[in-house]
Amino acid sequence: MTDRRQRGPRRGQGELEALVLSALREADGPASAGWVQERLGGDLAYTTVITILTRLLAKGAVTRERAGRSFVWTPASDQAGLAAHKMRKVLDGQSDREAVLASFVTSLEPDDERLLRELLGHAGGEGED
């Protein structure tokens, strides 16, 4: 049985995904899983990095391309884009979109509600001439 005292505290999946995405954003271009592992200090197993990258690929958060016998990885969007993607995915999974959106909007802080209204006003004006 493995002695957990030898390892650091266990991190959540979301935290690891955020760390990997952050490392990829710091890269000068597409990065290998090995580069990501080194960038994160090497405390994660290579297989763990590959698993996280594969999950991020399935979520549309990264892209990959073949480089020799392995892959290099690139972030598909910034942190805001990833959060928006997650929000759309949750919304798409609901049968009553109107109720979900209404509940979301009524739970916003006044400043966030004002910002959302401004953004919707700008979006509604696009393409109108």
Side-chain angles (χ1 to χ4, degrees):
M1 190 167 188
T2 305
D3 185 358
R4 288 197 179 267
R5 289 175 293 172
Q6 293 176 353
R7 295 189 214 163
R10 187 172 172 94
R11 292 180 228 155
Q13 178 180 329
E15 182 182 351
L16 289 174
E17 289 177 358
L19 288 171
V20 168
L21 279 172
S22 178
L24 284 175
R25 284 190 197 95
E26 294 173 5
D28 292 331
S32 68
W35 184 91
V36 172
Q37 181 190 23
E38 286 178 27
R39 188 72 177 184
L40 296 177
D43 64 331
L44 289 178
Y46 179 81
T47 54
T48 301
V49 174
I50 290 291
T51 299
I52 294 166
L53 286 166
T54 303
R55 287 180 180 159
L56 289 168
L57 179 67
K59 293 177 179 182
V62 299
T63 60
R64 72 178 182 189
E65 59 187 68
R66 181 77 62 188
R69 291 178 36 194
S70 62
F71 293 99
V72 289
W73 307 80
T74 306
S77 65
D78 60 10
Q79 207 57 21
L82 182 58
H85 176 75
K86 288 178 183 178
M87 292 168 68
R88 279 191 310 274
K89 191 172 181 180
V90 168
L91 183 60
D92 289 345
Q94 302 301 310
S95 59
D96 190 349
R97 295 173 72 92
E98 183 176 347
V100 173
L101 286 170
S103 179
F104 175 73
V105 170
T106 58
S107 69
L108 291 174
E109 296 292 324
D111 286 345
D112 290 335
E113 184 178 347
R114 178 191 48 74
L115 177 58
L116 181 59
R117 288 182 188 282
E118 288 176 13
L119 292 169
L120 288 170
H122 291 305
E126 288 180 5
E128 292 180 9
D129 285 330

